[in-house]
Structures are given as structure tokens and as C-alpha cells.
Amino acid sequence: MRLTSLHLREIRMPLKEPFRISSGAQTLRRMLLVAATDEEGRVGWGECTAGEEPNYSSETIDTAWLAIREWVAPRLLGREIAAADEVWPLLEHNFRGHSMAKAAVEVAFWDLEAQRRGLSLAALLGEGRGEIRQEIEVGISLGIQASPRALAEKAAACLARGYRKIKIKIGPGEDLEYVAAVREALGPAAPLMADANNAYGREDFDHLAALDAFDLLMIEQPLACDDLLRHAELQKRLRTPICLDESITNLDRAEDMVALDAGRIVNIKVGRVGGIASALAIHDFCRSRGVPVWCGGMLESGIGRAVNVALASLPGFTIPGDISPSERYWQRDVVNPEWTMDERGRIRIPQAPGLGVVVDLDRIEDLTTRAEVLLAR
């Protein structure tokens, strides 16, 4: 493969309802989409999952745009690349950080390779990893609500809709009472977890230990993203498994988590770890060590969701991911068909080559607020 151009687009999509976590609320999603064209005219798509502000990671959509233009594109445009898994080493050598910027372009190469070989993205990722699933179970992530009762009612409606896992966001002052209300509404057997997004510290250990009473699947990222030692201290205090999200930025960090027993479940996000090759390495390691993994969401469009669906089809993903259908967040998505979930809480894995969905260029043009084309020299 030889990349002849990268087309960057910023689109803006309003959320159907505000989504609030411990660090703030969001009503509009600015997204950076990447269209990569090869020498035979095929177009591969990627989506940068960086946020508008540096509150999930240090990256933002604006820093990612700069990083792609100045450092990612010059390493890849016009270069002969035999396979998509060669991209990650090229972007990691003497190039620190900017994982979400790297991932947006690296994913487009995987889409191109899948198209070139006539494979679905799921089939390409699954090569050598055993039989991939034909469908995946779907979980949902619920933002912090106005009251425990409001959260419990929303969670109950989602369980009745068919979702196979209910994740609720928590934060200091909006945690125990909220979790208790949801557990009471859903019953003792419902698959329930809590996500703190780094909101707590060592001084909160006794408070967090009270969550053991609710028989949660996991507590996700309770402490700072760079603090594996305190996560290990907390895990010793808890019966509930800790799941690490922001802390797992590469394979080394997953290995450290296991060595320290700083967590017992991993949330894999392609953007956070720098691309599909890195995500596969983490999946393979965790699977070899019996560590469950699942796929987290970043309020992606249908393009990013296609990558999540393909990744979650792999055998190590034994917990439903945050891969809700398009209508959960958007009045209208940017792909056809839109992502849908059946009454059993499952999404079918597309079999068509590449992402398995058609990118709606007219819809994207309508939503585009800026664009830039980078060409091979």
C-alpha cells in the first residue's frame, strides 16, 4: 500500500441528551475524521477519539489535527507499506505521545488492508486468534443524572430494552446513594458496574470499599490514571474487581497492572492505546493471562463504532462493551446502515470488506466545519 493523501475533516454532532461524568457535561461532539486514499483509489476511514478539552487525556481534537499534519502524515504519505501492522512501529519510533492522533490514521490503514484483501475488519483482526463472533453483546454507559431516582429509572429502562451491561458514572457526592438506587431497581442479578473517571484519591479508600455491598461487575478507574501503586493498594481492600481504563495506554502498562495486581479487568480503547496493533497486543496478553477485556466507547460516530464492533468480536472480549446503537446518541449517524441492536441486546458483525458500513459523504459534508487535504510529495 502507498498512501497518496489524507483528508482531515472536523464535524460537529449534537448529542441527543447531555452526557455528564465526574469531570463535566457534554452536549456537542467535535470529531476529527480521517480519509486515507491509496494508490489504487481506495479510501480507508479512521476517527480520532480525542475530546474537545484535555480532561480524559492530554490530547484534544486540535492537538491531534496538528500532530497528524506535522508528524504523522510526513512519516506515512508516499511510503510503501506492506501491511497495516507496520504502521504502528513507524509512528512509535522517536515519536512520543499523541496516541489518538496516531490511531486515527493507523485505523484507516487497517480499513484499507481489509478492503484490499476482501475481508471484513473483524475477520482481519481475528486472523490467528481463533473463531470470531458473529454478533456481540452490547452494554450502555449512563452519565450522572439529576437524582438517584432518575438514574434508577433510566437504568431500568435500558435493562428492559435489552442491554447486557449497565454502566453508571459516579463521582464524589454522587456515588453510593446512586448505586444503591440502581441496584434496588434492577435487582441483585443485573450486570451493573460503576465508572469513576479518576475522581477519587487514597483518602476515599474506606468510602470506595462500601461499593462492595452492591455486587458490581467492576469499579472502573477510581484513581488517577498514572497511579498504579495506589490502585494496587485499593484492590487489596476491595472484593470488587478494579477495571483500568485511562491507566492502560500501551502493552507495558497492562503488564504492570497484572504484575502489581492493580486491577483485574482492562477496558481497551483503540484511540487511547495508539491504534489497532497496540489494542491487539493488549488483547493477546490479557487473554494469555486470563484477564477479561472489554471495549469502551468515546462517543464515537458510526465510523469509530465500526472499529469498536470489529475489535469486540475477538475472543478475549468476554464482557459487553459500551457499543450502543447509533440512535443512543445521534439523531442521524454518518454511516449507512446505522448501527442497531436487536431485542436481545446484540449487534451483528458486518461481513462486507473493510468497516462493513458505507460512509455517508453527503451527511459528513453537511456537518463539516473545517477540512484539510495532505498530499504525498
Side-chain angles (χ1 to χ4, degrees):
M1 289 182 290
R2 185 173 62 84
L3 205 63
T4 60
S5 69
L6 285 173
H7 192 160
L8 311 184
R9 294 178 176 86
E10 178 184 335
I11 65 171
R12 300 192 178 193
M13 294 177 68
L15 290 156
K16 291 174 72 173
E17 61 180 38
F19 190 79
R20 187 161 75 91
I21 65 174
S22 59
S23 60
Q26 190 161 13
T27 58
L28 178 75
R29 190 75 166 98
R30 294 173 58 203
M31 300 174 182
L32 168 53
L33 303 181
V34 176
T37 304
D38 70 9
E39 74 278 17
E40 296 184 10
R42 285 181 292 255
V43 179
W45 287 86
E47 178 175 337
C48 180
T49 56
E52 293 74 13
E53 299 179 4
N55 51 14
Y56 175 82
S57 77
S58 60
E59 290 185 82
T60 70
I61 180 176
D62 299 304
T63 65
W65 194 293
L66 173 68
I68 291 172
R69 179 204 301 129
E70 299 296 327
W71 305 305
V72 176
R75 290 182 177 223
L76 301 177
L77 282 169
R79 184 170 191 154
E80 289 292 340
I81 296 174
D85 59 7
E86 295 183 1
V87 175
W88 187 79
L90 292 173
L91 295 180
E92 283 297 291
H93 181 65
N94 291 331
F95 185 177
R96 295 184 181 180
H98 303 283
S99 293
M100 293 179 177
K102 294 173 180 176
V105 180
E106 191 247 22
V107 163
F109 270 89
W110 285 89
D111 183 20
L112 284 172
E113 180 171 342
Q115 292 180 49
R116 179 174 62 87
R117 294 178 56 189
L119 297 173
S120 70
L121 183 59
L124 178 60
L125 303 191
E127 286 188 328
R129 294 180 171 84
E131 186 175 355
I132 62 171
R133 298 179 180 89
Q134 298 303 304
E135 58 184 13
I136 58 171
E137 294 185 331
V138 181
I140 191 169
S141 179
L142 299 178
I144 297 173
Q145 303 295 309
S147 68
R149 180 178 178 180
L151 179 60
E153 291 175 350
K154 186 174 285 289
C158 291
L159 191 66
R161 168 72 174 82
Y163 283 101
R164 310 295 291 184
K165 184 194 73 182
I166 308 296
K167 179 169 90 171
I168 59 175
K169 298 287 188 176
I170 62 171
E174 297 172 303
D175 44 32
L176 297 182
E177 188 179 358
Y178 286 72
V179 176
V182 175
R183 175 53 80 201
E184 181 178 1
L186 301 188
L192 177 64
M193 63 170 287
D195 181 11
N197 291 109
N198 304 259
Y200 299 90
R202 177 183 274 170
E203 68 278 6
D204 300 306
F205 280 15
D206 289 340
H207 186 75
L208 290 169
L211 290 169
D212 271 344
F214 302 110
D215 293 319
L216 301 176
L217 293 174
M218 69 192 87
I219 302 168
E220 186 179 359
Q221 199 66 47
L223 310 177
C225 62
D226 57 354
D227 198 345
L228 290 181
L229 289 178
R230 286 178 177 79
H231 274 106
E233 291 179 29
L234 178 60
Q235 183 65 88
K236 292 176 183 177
R237 298 275 304 274
L238 295 175
R239 174 173 52 82
T240 307
I242 289 175
C243 169
L244 293 186
D245 173 1
E246 291 95 324
S247 293
I248 307 300
T249 52
N250 52 45
L251 175 59
D252 289 346
R253 296 285 282 180
E255 292 173 342
D256 292 346
M257 182 201 84
V258 172
L260 295 169
D261 193 22
R264 295 173 183 169
I265 300 172
V266 172
N267 173 345
I268 298 181
K269 293 176 179 172
V270 169
R272 189 192 69 236
V273 303
I276 287 176
S278 179
L280 293 176
I282 295 169
H283 164 272
D284 294 348
F285 166 74
C286 288
R287 189 183 179 201
S288 74
R289 301 300 294 269
V291 176
V293 302
W294 59 282
C295 185
M298 292 289 290
L299 300 177
E300 295 95 344
S301 77
I303 294 171
R305 202 161 303 273
V307 179
N308 293 349
V309 168
L311 189 68
S313 71
L314 298 180
F317 286 82
T318 56
I319 299 171
D322 296 340
I323 308 177
S324 297
S326 299
E327 56 86 19
R328 159 80 173 106
Y329 297 111
W330 318 119
Q331 292 290 347
R332 179 183 167 193
D333 209 339
V334 298
V335 297
N336 291 312
E338 294 195 352
W339 293 101
T340 59
M341 180 181 77
D342 67 21
E343 68 280 357
R344 300 173 300 137
R346 291 174 170 84
I347 286 177
R348 294 286 298 175
I349 308 298
Q351 302 302 309
L355 297 181
V357 288
V358 176
V359 175
D360 187 339
L361 289 174
D362 290 336
R363 173 69 170 155
I364 286 176
E365 289 296 335
D366 288 343
L367 296 171
T368 296
T369 58
R370 62 170 162 161
E372 183 174 358
V373 178
L374 307 173
L375 300 174
R377 295 179 180 178

